[in-house]
Amino acid sequence: MTETLESTEAIAAPNPKRPIGPIVWETILQMENDGRLITRRNLREATGLSYEQIDECIKRLEASDKVIKAGGGLIEVVPQYNAERAQSLTFMPDGHVKWEMADGAEEIFSPPEAYKHGMLFLAFARKYEDMEQSNKALIRTAELTAEVRELRRRLAAFEAAMRKPEDVAQLALLEAA
């Protein structure tokens, strides 16, 4: 006697587990595209992974310069650009500016065009510098906040220790001074 299958449905093979790193990276990119804040908590809610797994992935992404910690628990994606090309600017005797790229691209600008391009690049450089300084300030603010929190904790412990009955006289002398 032979047995027949009553169903023609194929049995699906179990999906192999995806590596955690790509899951976290794709989630970070999606959050960035959606304009959502990227934090450990938001990553945990979105992926269902543990904080330890997320922290390990963030460390690896930081080491590969894909993300930075921006302070206050925020994680920011570092823009990825193409490799820099060799470039040169040549100021021609007639006032024109020749801009050459390593891939053979070449442009010649009149003096007014060169001036306008220079002003645009200057504005871009200033904006970039402002962003860099802002990021550094955020990171330093987070560091100082942590230091102040620790100092407050230590001060509270010191005050609690000074309020012991045998130290009341000492505390009175300190307050009088």
Side-chain angles (χ1 to χ4, degrees), residues 15-124:
N15 288 338
K17 277 188 142 184
R18 284 186 63 204
I20 294 171
I23 293 171
V24 172
W25 177 237
E26 289 169 13
T27 304
I28 288 172
L29 291 177
Q30 187 61 47
M31 293 172 108
E32 174 82 6
N33 290 338
D34 294 344
R36 294 175 52 201
L37 293 177
I38 304 169
T39 62
R40 292 172 66 231
R41 179 185 296 168
N42 290 349
L43 286 170
R44 181 174 182 194
E45 290 172 3
T47 62
L49 298 171
S50 70
Y51 284 125
E52 292 80 19
Q53 291 170 315
I54 290 170
D55 289 342
E56 182 60 35
C57 291
I58 296 299
K59 283 180 188 174
R60 280 189 259 131
L61 290 170
E62 275 186 303
S64 62
D65 293 328
K66 290 186 175 183
V67 299
I68 59 170
K69 290 184 181 174
L74 293 176
I75 300 164
E76 290 186 6
V77 176
V78 175
Q80 304 295 314
Y81 300 108
N82 295 333
E84 291 185 33
R85 300 174 286 175
Q87 304 175 36
S88 71
L89 287 176
T90 306
F91 295 94
M92 308 298 279
D94 64 356
H96 285 81
V97 176
K98 183 178 180 182
W99 186 0
E100 298 173 289
M101 301 277 196
D103 59 4
E106 183 178 300
E107 279 293 326
I108 297 179
F109 300 109
S110 68
E113 289 175 323
Y115 175 79
K116 287 179 184 173
H117 287 294
M119 295 305 290
L120 290 172
F121 279 120
L122 178 63
F124 178 78

Side-chain angles (χ1 to χ4, degrees), residues 158 162 166-177:
F158 176 74
M162 291 301 294
E166 60 271 6
D167 295 330
V168 172
Q170 291 289 332
L171 185 58
L173 289 174
L174 285 175
E175 289 175 355

